Amino acid sequence: MYPVYAVLFADSGLSPAEISSLFVIWSVTTFLLELPSGLWADVFSRRLLLVTAPLLAGAGFGLWAFVPSYPAFAAGFVLWGAGSALRSGALQALVYEGLEQVGAPEAYARLIGRSEAVSLLAVVAASGVAAPVLAVGGYRALGVASVVVCVLGAVAGWALPESRGGGDVEEEGAFAGVVREGWRQVREVPGVRGAVVLSVVLTGVTSLDEYVPLVVRSMGVAAVWVPLLVLVVTVGDAVGGWFAGRGAGRLPVVLGAGAVCLAAGSLGGSPAGLVLVAVAFGVFRWAMAAADARLQERISGGARATVTSLAGFGSEVVAVLAFAGWALGSRWAGAGVLLGAAAVPYAVVAVVLGVCGRRRGVHREL
């Protein structure tokens, strides 16, 4: 349903304002449930949340396909947003602690990065399959296929082993204990606080990839070629995720190089520059996996999912600010210039990481 749901809404008679209101409902639901879902994951079964999350989304897709109306669309977005929130934090915590249990926490960045890479390629595949399925069976066929895929996702979630590491919060088994422990770690442990900020900035700013099609179109490319050129960037993004977990010690240098590639590729105004943009987004995907791994390494106790969800919430806030900045900046600058300007926060992060790394090195020598 993902590639065509906006078309479904329009074909069902919704106005642009009504469609926009649905997106607002989606965003608000995710915002409101992001932090509570982290608490639930730390108090209850994380695997159960990962089973429930895709089933909620599937129920929403079923509503869209069989009861196409504004109330059904709104309910579907509430279900989808709730599912996304339930998965956020729970997945990272379950995977990291499972790897810790078998003595392989260093594999976390590689596994998370590769899961993101496969996810991106799955979106590409779904976009290609959606057209013929829609032509043959209409929106109901797409809805049924989407529900089936969500059920398979729930089965995959149930197959994940769950190993709770133990700790003070889990012994308390209460929301209040989780909140206190999570807040203590963010407030008192510099490593956790810095890792949260790093993850928030990298993930939040990277949300501007939603504007890549506009950048491609601004290069004078015919509309028919836009999807193929966007695919170049998507593939670069996926390649970065596939190679996550390697060379994390070079994060400042590689991130700085990615910022340069983004600026050069976006500001060049040529379709050939999209190769550099693809490299940049590959670097950012790799860096986000490294930042996520850094955060998981520094969290301790039973508030892992809560702290991770806090980072997810912060990323959503940064993303909203980035979207607002784009909307404001579009009054004076084109899409290429705006995406090129997004290289600035990446460059700043690279410099800060480099300086902090040198200071730690000096302290160790002293």
Side-chain angles (χ1 to χ4, degrees):
M1 295 292 288
Y2 180 76
V4 297
Y5 65 73
V7 182
L8 167 62
F9 301 157
D11 288 348
S12 300
L14 269 63
S15 67
E18 288 174 321
I19 294 175
S20 296
S21 70
L22 291 175
F23 294 153
V24 171
I25 292 171
W26 190 16
S27 298
V28 169
T29 300
T30 305
F31 261 77
L32 292 179
L33 294 180
E34 180 71 39
L35 293 179
S37 68
L39 294 174
W40 297 335
D42 282 326
V43 173
F44 305 115
S45 168
R46 291 164 182 164
R47 182 171 63 180
L48 181 59
L49 295 184
L50 295 179
V51 171
T52 304
L55 294 179
L56 291 176
F61 297 146
L63 283 175
W64 291 359
F66 289 95
V67 196
S69 60
Y70 183 89
F73 296 148
F77 269 127
V78 170
L79 291 168
W80 193 359
S84 299
L86 290 181
R87 186 178 67 251
S88 175
L91 177 63
Q92 294 93 325
L94 185 145
V95 172
Y96 189 84
E97 290 184 352
L99 291 171
E100 265 192 331
Q101 198 76 8
V102 298
E106 70 282 353
Y108 176 81
R110 175 173 57 85
L111 287 178
I112 287 295
R114 289 190 175 185
S115 73
E116 290 291 336
V118 173
S119 175
L120 289 167
L121 295 178
V123 171
V124 174
S127 299
V129 172
V133 172
L134 180 62
V136 173
Y139 291 115
R140 287 195 174 182
L142 285 179
V144 170
S146 299
V147 171
V148 170
V149 170
C150 289
V151 171
L152 293 176
V155 172
W158 184 256
L160 291 171
E162 183 168 23
S163 308
R164 302 305 288 268
D168 296 336
V169 173
E170 289 176 335
E171 291 173 4
E172 280 191 67
F175 285 109
V178 174
V179 172
R180 284 196 297 270
E181 174 62 14
W183 179 242
R184 184 194 67 79
Q185 292 198 39
V186 173
R187 187 182 70 251
E188 299 178 4
V189 182
V192 172
R193 186 168 60 247
V196 167
V197 173
L198 176 62
S199 182
V200 164
V201 174
L202 292 181
T203 306
V205 177
T206 305
S207 63
L208 291 177
D209 62 355
E210 299 289 346
Y211 294 103
V212 168
L214 297 181
V215 175
V216 175
R217 196 72 178 90
S218 71
M219 294 175 174
V221 175
V224 69
W225 295 108
V226 170
L228 290 176
L229 292 174
V230 171
L231 180 60
V232 172
V233 179
T234 302
V235 170
D237 197 346
V239 169
W242 190 260
F243 285 100
R246 303 181 184 181
R250 302 184 182 91
L251 182 58
V253 174
V254 177
L255 191 58
V260 172
C261 288
L262 180 64
S266 302
L267 298 174
S270 167
L274 291 173
V275 175
L276 291 176
V277 175
V279 172
F281 277 103
V283 167
F284 302 152
R285 180 68 57 183
W286 171 87
M288 284 189 290
D292 187 9
R294 180 178 294 197
L295 175 60
Q296 299 303 325
E297 290 168 0
R298 286 158 173 74
I299 302 173
S300 60
R304 182 176 301 279
T306 300
V307 177
T308 303
S309 288
L310 177 62
F313 181 83
S315 298
E316 292 289 341
V317 173
V318 172
V320 170
L321 294 175
F323 293 150
W326 185 288
L328 182 62
S330 63
R331 297 185 177 184
W332 299 282
V337 173
L338 293 174
L339 189 62
V344 173
Y346 293 115
V348 170
V349 170
V351 171
V352 171
L353 288 175
V355 171
C356 291
R358 290 194 186 93
R359 286 180 177 175
R360 283 194 295 269
V362 169
H363 288 320
R364 280 195 295 269
E365 291 176 5
L366 293 176

